[in-house]
Amino acid sequence: MAAEEVLQTVDHYKTEIERLTKELTETTHEKIQAAEYGLVVLEEKLTLKQQYDELEAEYDALKQELEQLRECPLCLTEPW
């Protein structure tokens, strides 16, 4: 009976190793997917930040131009 118990224990451990290996593989795959998604989000954030910075610079330039035009209303009229 001792040999039979040892075989059952070995079978149990083999089954447990297979289960844990499968679970580890699935978890690793999920972590990789999450990391890839995170990279996509960071790239999108960077793109949006660049667009925001460009728009803000354009806004500042137009605001400055408007202020200059307000200071010199005669500059708006062209001599004919």
Side-chain angles (χ1 to χ4, degrees), residues 6-59:
V6 169
L7 288 177
Q8 286 177 354
T9 302
V10 169
D11 286 341
H12 171 73
Y13 286 135
K14 283 182 180 180
T15 303
E16 188 66 11
I17 289 171
E18 289 173 4
R19 183 187 69 79
L20 291 172
T21 301
K22 181 180 176 185
E23 189 174 318
L24 178 61
T25 301
E26 290 172 359
T27 303
T28 302
H29 180 69
E30 290 172 1
K31 287 175 82 173
I32 290 170
Q33 283 183 322
E36 289 172 347
Y37 177 74
L39 288 174
V40 169
V41 169
L42 288 175
E43 289 172 0
E44 182 66 23
K45 179 181 176 184
L46 178 60
T47 300
L48 290 172
K49 174 73 169 118
Q50 290 171 341
Q51 289 175 349
Y52 174 83
D53 290 344
E54 291 170 5
L55 288 171
E56 189 173 40
E58 184 179 349
Y59 168 79

